[in-house]
Amino acid sequence: MSQSNLELAKPVDSEAISPRALGYVTENARAEVFDLVVRNCIESGISNALLAKRMGKDPAQISRLLGAPGNWTIDTIAKLLFAIDGRFLNVDSYWPEDEARANMRHATCFVEKAKLNVVIVRYNAPRRPVSKRCLSWTN
């Protein structure tokens, strides 16, 4: 099957992969790594200030890192995970067509904290799910 007919088809021989497909793959990887780090922060209950102190960084640097998915290095990801709760990075790969596909999007996971509600919403989408983080203040 031609790469141009199916954006996320497996690479074939010497056929060029579209920049759009490569962009999707890299953005999906960034979002998954970001979700992993944020989920570990929430589960451990660590504050940005404590994480900054453990890593020997300024709290503003940690806030910027955890503010949105970025172009993190593997070293940065490993340091963040270890500083949060001593975890090591475990990497795996998969074929997108092997993932279960959903015919509609709906929230499947919510995590809340007191005072500042941090909600992680995982959407079941036709491709690998990507979670989005929402912040809301409670009265």
Side-chain angles (χ1 to χ4, degrees), residues 39-111:
R39 190 171 40 250
N40 284 349
C41 283
I42 292 168
E43 288 173 0
S44 71
I46 193 170
S47 68
N48 285 1
L50 180 56
L51 183 56
K53 193 172 194 173
R54 285 183 181 176
M55 294 182 71
K57 304 261 185 209
D58 184 51
Q61 274 185 294
I62 300 300
S63 292
R64 279 193 304 275
L65 277 173
L66 299 180
N71 196 14
W72 295 346
T73 65
I74 294 172
D75 293 347
T76 301
I77 298 162
K79 289 174 187 177
L80 281 166
L81 289 173
F82 188 76
I84 291 167
D85 61 3
R87 293 183 194 214
F88 278 32
L89 177 62
N90 183 13
V91 181
D92 195 9
S93 63
Y94 65 94
W95 293 109
E97 64 266 12
D98 293 343
E99 293 290 309
R101 296 189 180 198
N103 61 0
M104 63 185 344
R105 296 173 184 240
H106 64 279
T108 58
C109 173
F110 292 96
V111 177

